[in-house]
Amino acid sequence: MNAKRKVEVFSAGCPACRTAIDLVNRLACPSCDVLILDMNDIGVAERARALGVRSVPAVAVDGRLLSCCAGAGIDEQALRAAGVGQA
């Protein structure tokens, strides 16, 4: 049995964040463990900073910030390339 892919979505609850969460949830498969993380929580903010998150929404897969989240926003192609939605 394959290990689950850890998908962390960093959100501040804004409309752009909700759109990103909807996209990740739509693409996620049974092999994806999706976590929605609230940037208002200091522990979440520290985790985001450690990953290099500079703006939200942002997504990390298996502990690596996706390149699309380094400034350009969430991109379906980058999510798929990271394995989101693939068993």
Side-chain angles (χ1 to χ4, degrees):
M1 181 173 186
N2 294 336
K4 286 207 170 215
R5 186 175 300 106
K6 183 178 178 182
V7 181
E8 298 169 282
V9 182
F10 295 90
S11 168
C14 65
C17 292
R18 286 191 292 277
T19 299
I21 291 166
D22 290 345
L23 175 61
V24 170
N25 283 329
R26 181 172 52 82
L27 293 177
C29 66
S31 295
C32 296
D33 182 17
V34 177
L35 303 169
I36 309 304
L37 303 170
D38 183 355
M39 290 291 285
N40 293 305
D41 178 298
I42 189 67
V44 170
E46 289 172 357
R47 168 89 175 130
R49 187 172 25 261
L51 289 172
V53 173
R54 299 288 179 250
S55 64
V56 291
V59 177
V61 176
D62 291 334
R64 290 195 332 257
L65 183 64
L66 297 186
S67 61
C68 65
C69 299
I74 304 223
D75 175 70
E76 181 174 341
Q77 185 176 1
L79 288 168
R80 290 187 183 281
V84 175
Q86 300 170 27

